[in-house]
Amino acid sequence: QQLARPDHYEARMAAFERAGELVASAGVTSAKKLLALSLVKMLRCIQAQLDNYDSKINAAFNAHPKRALFDSLPGAGAKLAPRLLAEICACQDAYPSAEALQCHAGTAPVSYQSGKLHKVRVRHACNKHLRAAVHHWAFQTQKRCAWAGVYYKTQRERGKSHACALRALGHRWLKIVWKMCQTNQPYDSNLHASNQLKHGSGVLKLHPGQDGTHANNFSEKAFATTENFRNDLHLIKGMPAVGELVAAKRLMACFHRWADGWQSDQGIR
């Protein structure tokens, strides 16, 4: 059932109708039939073992005190969240800083210099399992998270490969995950968006493309709203009578309009 693809049913039935064209001798057909039935039994046995593994992994994940942190990560889901938790929290004390976690996961590049020669390469001495998990997770987040999608597209437009862009995106996510583990607070998209706008994150700085359109496919209205709010935010900071709560509410209203514009342009909803 997990491997079933309903959209392929018609093509398979059409192939079965033409199966008579490839009929071999009775002995070969009988042997292949026995092989097919044997493989089915083996697959069912393996699937039962996989289901057993999944149930035990889910039980251990649900019982972990930091389950809520990794369960809140966008795009992690039931498969990647336990993998990320197991790899990161198994030796959390070994990460005194976000940079240490990024190096362990292999997202931080290695730079070396000899005289006038200076090069940067991929970090190979790392936790391969964690690097693979972060790679798959970053791929999912760029589909489900507005700022992650913007960052990925920007990296691609700068000439980075698919793997390099995902590695750079995972590098940013690991810094967020490290902070979450330190504060024991789940991921909050609203809080992260407000911090991005408050600190003027480079992810929000959209640059026009060569054809005059915005490189990240944001709508003009969403772009203008973000820029106007940035200007308003500087004015808000200079008004003592305006409380932080009022400023935060205005900030979040702007971000939601900005995210809706991006999601509409991407056809997400």
Side-chain angles (χ1 to χ4, degrees):
Q1 295 179 354
Q2 296 180 2
L3 298 178
R5 296 180 175 86
D7 53 324
H8 293 174
Y9 285 171
E10 294 184 3
R12 289 180 179 177
M13 295 304 297
F16 291 156
E17 291 178 357
R18 299 193 303 270
E21 302 174 1
L22 302 176
V23 175
S25 62
V28 173
T29 302
S30 177
K32 295 299 182 180
K33 177 181 177 181
L34 181 60
L35 175 61
L37 294 177
S38 300
L39 292 176
V40 168
K41 292 180 181 179
M42 293 172 61
L43 290 174
R44 287 181 175 177
C45 179
I46 294 174
Q47 185 61 54
Q49 296 178 32
L50 292 176
D51 293 340
N52 185 31
Y53 269 102
D54 287 339
S55 63
K56 292 186 180 298
I57 290 173
N58 292 333
F61 178 68
N62 293 329
H64 200 280
K66 292 188 179 295
R67 178 196 64 83
L69 303 184
F70 290 84
D71 213 17
S72 67
L73 296 174
K79 299 297 183 182
L80 293 175
R83 290 179 61 182
L84 292 169
L85 183 147
E87 296 295 341
I88 295 176
C89 294
C91 52
Q92 184 178 344
D93 296 337
Y95 311 132
S97 63
E99 291 77 12
L101 176 59
Q102 291 165 337
C103 291
H104 186 71
T107 61
V110 176
S111 61
Y112 60 95
Q113 183 172 355
S114 177
K116 296 183 179 180
L117 177 65
H118 179 265
K119 290 188 177 181
V120 179
R121 62 172 177 81
V122 178
R123 183 180 297 272
H124 297 290
C126 62
N127 184 334
K128 303 299 192 300
H129 299 288
L130 178 56
R131 183 170 66 179
V134 172
H135 178 90
H136 292 300
W137 174 45
F139 178 73
Q140 295 298 324
T141 61
Q142 59 96 13
K143 299 178 179 179
R144 294 172 171 80
C145 189
W147 72 263
V150 174
Y151 187 80
Y152 173 81
K153 288 180 178 294
T154 302
Q155 293 295 317
R156 293 289 283 158
E157 289 165 358
R158 291 176 179 174
K160 304 297 183 182
S161 66
H162 172 69
C164 184
L166 290 181
R167 189 161 54 249
L169 177 58
H171 190 75
R172 296 182 70 95
W173 271 115
L174 286 175
K175 185 176 182 180
I176 298 173
V177 171
W178 182 85
K179 188 64 176 180
M180 289 168 49
C181 293
Q182 297 299 310
T183 60
N184 202 31
Q185 294 294 326
Y187 177 75
D188 187 346
S189 59
N190 294 333
L191 177 61
H192 183 68
S194 65
N195 289 335
Q196 284 183 315
L197 290 173
K198 180 178 179 181
H199 298 291
S201 173
V203 178
L204 305 182
K205 296 179 181 178
L206 307 179
H207 302 284
Q210 296 179 356
D211 57 351
T213 60
H214 289 292
N216 296 305
N217 295 328
F218 271 73
S219 67
E220 294 291 338
K221 182 178 179 181
F223 176 78
T225 303
T226 305
E227 290 298 312
N228 291 338
F229 186 77
R230 283 208 199 110
N231 298 330
D232 293 342
L233 187 59
H234 291 293
L235 297 177
I236 291 172
K237 292 180 179 178
M239 299 179 182
V242 178
E244 292 291 336
L245 180 59
V246 176
K249 287 183 178 179
R250 291 193 62 189
L251 185 146
M252 289 314 306
C254 168
F255 174 77
H256 285 308
R257 290 194 297 271
W258 169 78
D260 289 342
W262 178 82
Q263 291 177 335
S264 176
D265 287 344
Q266 299 300 310
I268 296 178
R269 63 179 181 180

